[in-house]
mmCIF file of all heavy atoms in Angstrom:
data_model
loop_
_atom_site.group_PDB
_atom_site.id
_atom_site.type_symbol
_atom_site.label_atom_id
_atom_site.label_comp_id
_atom_site.label_asym_id
_atom_site.label_seq_id
_atom_site.Cartn_x
_atom_site.Cartn_y
_atom_site.Cartn_z
ATOM 1 N N LEU A 136 6.992 31.544 18.424
ATOM 2 C CA LEU A 136 7.755 30.995 17.348
ATOM 3 C C LEU A 136 8.304 29.469 17.687
ATOM 4 O O LEU A 136 8.012 28.720 16.877
ATOM 5 C CB LEU A 136 8.946 31.865 16.947
ATOM 6 C CG LEU A 136 9.774 31.317 15.737
ATOM 7 C CD1 LEU A 136 8.841 31.187 14.495
ATOM 8 C CD2 LEU A 136 11.005 32.206 15.449
ATOM 9 N N PHE A 137 8.818 29.420 18.882
ATOM 10 C CA PHE A 137 9.598 28.176 19.167
ATOM 11 C C PHE A 137 8.568 27.119 19.980
ATOM 12 O O PHE A 137 8.818 26.039 20.094
ATOM 13 C CB PHE A 137 10.690 28.404 20.072
ATOM 14 C CG PHE A 137 11.832 29.176 19.274
ATOM 15 C CD1 PHE A 137 12.066 30.588 19.415
ATOM 16 C CD2 PHE A 137 12.526 28.531 18.266
ATOM 17 C CE1 PHE A 137 12.875 31.314 18.709
ATOM 18 C CE2 PHE A 137 13.437 29.222 17.624
ATOM 19 C CZ PHE A 137 13.627 30.503 17.757
ATOM 20 N N ARG A 138 7.461 27.678 20.617
ATOM 21 C CA ARG A 138 6.626 26.764 21.337
ATOM 22 C C ARG A 138 5.208 26.817 20.806
ATOM 23 O O ARG A 138 4.245 26.271 21.519
ATOM 24 C CB ARG A 138 6.726 27.144 22.897
ATOM 25 C CG ARG A 138 7.417 26.088 23.678
ATOM 26 C CD ARG A 138 8.926 26.036 23.336
ATOM 27 N NE ARG A 138 9.534 27.294 23.741
ATOM 28 C CZ ARG A 138 10.875 27.633 23.556
ATOM 29 N NH1 ARG A 138 11.625 26.673 22.959
ATOM 30 N NH2 ARG A 138 11.369 28.810 23.763
ATOM 31 N N GLY A 139 4.869 27.555 19.733
ATOM 32 C CA GLY A 139 3.726 27.714 19.196
ATOM 33 C C GLY A 139 3.396 26.841 18.071
ATOM 34 O O GLY A 139 3.544 25.476 18.273
ATOM 35 N N PHE A 140 3.005 27.305 16.981
ATOM 36 C CA PHE A 140 2.490 26.450 15.793
ATOM 37 C C PHE A 140 3.392 25.370 15.366
ATOM 38 O O PHE A 140 3.057 24.236 15.272
ATOM 39 C CB PHE A 140 2.052 27.309 14.558
ATOM 40 C CG PHE A 140 1.360 26.616 13.461
ATOM 41 C CD1 PHE A 140 -0.067 26.507 13.622
ATOM 42 C CD2 PHE A 140 2.077 26.082 12.480
ATOM 43 C CE1 PHE A 140 -0.715 25.805 12.540
ATOM 44 C CE2 PHE A 140 1.345 25.364 11.406
ATOM 45 C CZ PHE A 140 0.050 25.146 11.507
ATOM 46 N N ILE A 141 4.647 25.705 15.201
ATOM 47 C CA ILE A 141 5.666 24.765 14.613
ATOM 48 C C ILE A 141 5.888 23.700 15.636
ATOM 49 O O ILE A 141 5.963 22.462 15.244
ATOM 50 C CB ILE A 141 7.075 25.512 14.341
ATOM 51 C CG1 ILE A 141 6.876 26.596 13.452
ATOM 52 C CG2 ILE A 141 8.131 24.495 13.906
ATOM 53 C CD1 ILE A 141 8.106 27.517 13.345
ATOM 54 N N PHE A 142 6.151 24.062 16.999
ATOM 55 C CA PHE A 142 6.366 23.078 17.903
ATOM 56 C C PHE A 142 5.189 22.060 18.065
ATOM 57 O O PHE A 142 5.374 20.900 18.199
ATOM 58 C CB PHE A 142 6.633 23.764 19.202
ATOM 59 C CG PHE A 142 7.033 23.049 20.421
ATOM 60 C CD1 PHE A 142 8.001 22.113 20.421
ATOM 61 C CD2 PHE A 142 6.230 22.972 21.598
ATOM 62 C CE1 PHE A 142 8.449 21.281 21.550
ATOM 63 C CE2 PHE A 142 6.591 22.171 22.663
ATOM 64 C CZ PHE A 142 7.681 21.322 22.590
ATOM 65 N N GLN A 143 4.036 22.610 18.001
ATOM 66 C CA GLN A 143 2.840 21.754 18.302
ATOM 67 C C GLN A 143 2.544 20.934 17.057
ATOM 68 O O GLN A 143 2.076 19.699 17.197
ATOM 69 C CB GLN A 143 1.672 22.677 18.642
ATOM 70 C CG GLN A 143 1.933 23.377 20.026
ATOM 71 C CD GLN A 143 0.815 24.465 20.248
ATOM 72 O OE1 GLN A 143 -0.320 24.298 20.071
ATOM 73 N NE2 GLN A 143 1.306 25.540 20.951
ATOM 74 N N ARG A 144 2.948 21.329 15.800
ATOM 75 C CA ARG A 144 2.813 20.446 14.645
ATOM 76 C C ARG A 144 3.843 19.408 14.838
ATOM 77 O O ARG A 144 3.681 18.151 14.240
ATOM 78 C CB ARG A 144 2.870 21.272 13.407
ATOM 79 C CG ARG A 144 1.770 22.167 13.078
ATOM 80 C CD ARG A 144 0.392 21.532 13.008
ATOM 81 N NE ARG A 144 -0.236 21.534 14.277
ATOM 82 C CZ ARG A 144 -1.025 20.619 14.864
ATOM 83 N NH1 ARG A 144 -1.119 19.472 14.122
ATOM 84 N NH2 ARG A 144 -1.522 20.646 15.935
ATOM 85 N N LEU A 145 5.052 19.665 15.244
ATOM 86 C CA LEU A 145 6.150 18.769 15.324
ATOM 87 C C LEU A 145 5.726 17.614 16.312
ATOM 88 O O LEU A 145 5.983 16.495 16.112
ATOM 89 C CB LEU A 145 7.460 19.316 15.650
ATOM 90 C CG LEU A 145 8.192 20.147 14.638
ATOM 91 C CD1 LEU A 145 9.329 20.821 15.114
ATOM 92 C CD2 LEU A 145 8.633 19.067 13.509
ATOM 93 N N ILE A 146 5.087 18.097 17.440
ATOM 94 C CA ILE A 146 4.742 17.089 18.478
ATOM 95 C C ILE A 146 3.680 16.087 17.812
ATOM 96 O O ILE A 146 3.762 14.844 18.029
ATOM 97 C CB ILE A 146 4.167 17.798 19.758
ATOM 98 C CG1 ILE A 146 5.281 18.536 20.424
ATOM 99 C CG2 ILE A 146 3.465 16.778 20.619
ATOM 100 C CD1 ILE A 146 4.749 19.245 21.717
ATOM 101 N N ALA A 147 2.684 16.737 17.218
ATOM 102 C CA ALA A 147 1.672 15.845 16.643
ATOM 103 C C ALA A 147 2.123 14.918 15.515
ATOM 104 O O ALA A 147 1.769 13.785 15.403
ATOM 105 C CB ALA A 147 0.620 16.831 15.984
ATOM 106 N N GLY A 148 3.283 15.389 14.889
ATOM 107 C CA GLY A 148 3.896 14.608 13.752
ATOM 108 C C GLY A 148 4.853 13.651 14.143
ATOM 109 O O GLY A 148 4.984 12.411 13.605
ATOM 110 N N LEU A 149 5.820 14.018 15.141
ATOM 111 C CA LEU A 149 6.981 13.220 15.427
ATOM 112 C C LEU A 149 6.961 12.777 16.892
ATOM 113 O O LEU A 149 7.686 11.763 17.177
ATOM 114 C CB LEU A 149 8.266 14.008 15.076
ATOM 115 C CG LEU A 149 8.489 14.447 13.752
ATOM 116 C CD1 LEU A 149 9.683 15.378 13.720
ATOM 117 C CD2 LEU A 149 8.561 13.289 12.795
#
Side-chain angles (χ1 to χ4, degrees):
L136 182 60
F137 294 103
R138 257 64 63 180
F140 189 87
I141 303 170
F142 184 55
Q143 295 171 39
R144 291 304 90 221
L145 282 172
I146 290 176
L149 300 176

